[in-house]
Amino acid sequence: MNEKKLPIVEPSATLRMTVYASLMAALTAAGAYLSIPIGPVPIVLQNLFVFLSGLLLGPRWGSASIGVYLLAGALGLPVFAGGVGGIGRFAGPTGGYLLGFLPAVYVVGWISGTSKKHGVRDIIAMVCGGLIIYAFGISWLKILT
């Protein structure tokens, strides 16, 4: 009998980037569990994964990744620092930092995406992203306290 062999189909670029974005969202959630609880806002590893999302995925897909992470936390999944979740976390002391992730990842991706393989530009992008996260977080913390 003649057996037809199916052609090997490479996944599309959109599917590949969707998988990468979901993996970065999962890594960001894992970074929340590595925390040092001091004061009202713990020191977490999430910022690293926010920066990596922008550097590796660019502004569009990096924002999608962090958006999925924030949506999962808002829906109640325990992805925020300390293994908690819920929409109330955005109104607490860490809410400004969480909301600062979205513009930070976009700016990091935008700055680093203008030219590849340029380490100085990537460092500048991450410094700008850190400033954005802390600008949102500190101003929100100041409002609450």
Side-chain angles (χ1 to χ4, degrees):
M1 294 226 130
N2 289 337
E3 290 185 28
K4 292 183 179 180
K5 292 188 177 182
L6 295 174
I8 297 175
V9 178
E10 290 292 321
S12 69
T14 304
L15 177 62
R16 184 177 296 118
M17 291 306 290
T18 303
V19 170
Y20 291 157
S22 61
L23 286 174
M24 288 307 295
L27 284 172
T28 306
Y33 286 97
L34 301 171
S35 66
I36 301 171
I38 57 167
V41 180
I43 298 173
V44 292
L45 198 60
Q46 289 171 309
N47 294 357
L48 169 71
F49 294 114
V50 170
F51 297 154
L52 281 177
S53 294
L55 290 174
L56 298 176
L57 303 177
R60 184 173 147 225
W61 286 102
S63 296
S65 171
I66 299 304
V68 165
Y69 164 74
L70 292 175
L71 180 65
L75 292 175
L77 294 175
V79 295
F80 296 146
V84 296
I87 193 114
R89 287 291 158 187
F90 292 102
T94 59
Y97 295 96
L98 292 172
L99 292 177
F101 286 168
L102 270 177
V105 73
Y106 185 84
V107 167
V108 168
W110 180 72
I111 291 174
S112 70
T114 55
S115 74
K116 295 295 177 189
K117 298 182 182 177
H118 200 352
V120 175
R121 186 163 291 171
D122 291 345
I123 291 171
I124 292 170
M126 290 186 289
V127 168
C128 291
L131 290 174
I132 291 170
I133 290 172
Y134 283 111
F136 274 71
I138 291 172
S139 61
W140 182 252
L141 191 60
K142 174 83 172 140
I143 291 171
L144 286 182
T145 59

